[in-house]
Amino acid sequence: LLNNYAKAERLIKLGQYDKAMEIYTSAKTKFKEDELDFRIGELLILMEKYESAISVYSALSSSKSLLAEDALFQIAYIYWQKLGNFEKAISTYTKLIENYPDSILVSEARRNIQLLSSGKVSKIKILP
């Protein structure tokens, strides 16, 4: 599995997203790791396939995965930063806060809700 990650990450750095996706997809048939889904979501964002990324992250967030709260944060990021849909971003951040009140992501989600609600923000650079 680690070998697959290394190959895919190298290809991503080279901008060969389709080949990296092939490696992740192939690895997913052998290994049932939530981390693979998360990385596939990240790759879909790089490929500008935002709705597909949201779908991958939604499945993760609906599961009992340890990455569920991170997946919700990623969905909110896509809505805000990539699709410019502030209402859905706020809704997703709110869902994260309600479902995972003890998460380390809650303070960042609250801050982002305040920024989005202020009406003074558009897209800003934040880490995915």
Side-chain angles (χ1 to χ4, degrees):
L1 181 59
L2 291 176
N3 190 31
N4 288 319
Y5 283 145
K7 285 179 189 175
E9 292 302 313
R10 184 177 51 78
L11 290 168
I12 290 168
K13 287 182 176 154
L14 295 172
Q16 297 178 14
Y17 302 144
D18 290 331
K19 289 182 181 179
M21 184 62 78
E22 287 174 19
I23 290 172
Y24 282 147
T25 304
S26 174
K28 191 164 168 47
T29 63
K30 298 175 192 168
F31 308 99
K32 300 295 182 204
E33 295 286 327
D34 291 341
E35 179 68 26
L36 278 170
D37 288 323
F38 201 83
R39 289 179 185 246
I40 287 170
E42 290 174 331
L43 185 53
L44 288 166
I45 292 170
L46 289 173
M47 297 170 80
E48 299 181 2
K49 296 181 178 182
Y50 306 124
E51 295 300 329
S52 296
I54 288 170
S55 179
V56 168
Y57 288 131
S58 291
L60 258 179
S61 71
S62 298
S63 71
K64 295 184 190 259
S65 170
L66 295 175
L67 295 173
E69 61 199 66
D70 297 283
L72 279 173
F73 198 85
Q74 286 293 89
I75 293 168
Y77 163 79
I78 294 167
Y79 281 132
W80 178 7
Q81 296 295 314
K82 302 300 181 180
L83 300 176
N85 189 331
F86 296 179
E87 187 175 305
K88 284 192 175 183
I90 290 171
S91 172
T92 307
Y93 283 129
T94 302
K95 184 177 178 181
L96 187 153
I97 293 166
E98 290 170 352
N99 292 348
Y100 303 97
D102 297 327
S103 171
I104 62 170
L105 297 172
V106 166
S107 63
E108 185 75 17
R110 283 194 173 118
R111 186 176 66 81
N112 290 346
I113 288 172
Q114 287 177 334
L115 284 169
L116 288 163
S117 299
S118 73
K120 298 178 184 175
V121 69
S122 59
K123 293 182 183 179
I124 62 167
K125 294 262 184 193
I126 60 172
L127 296 175

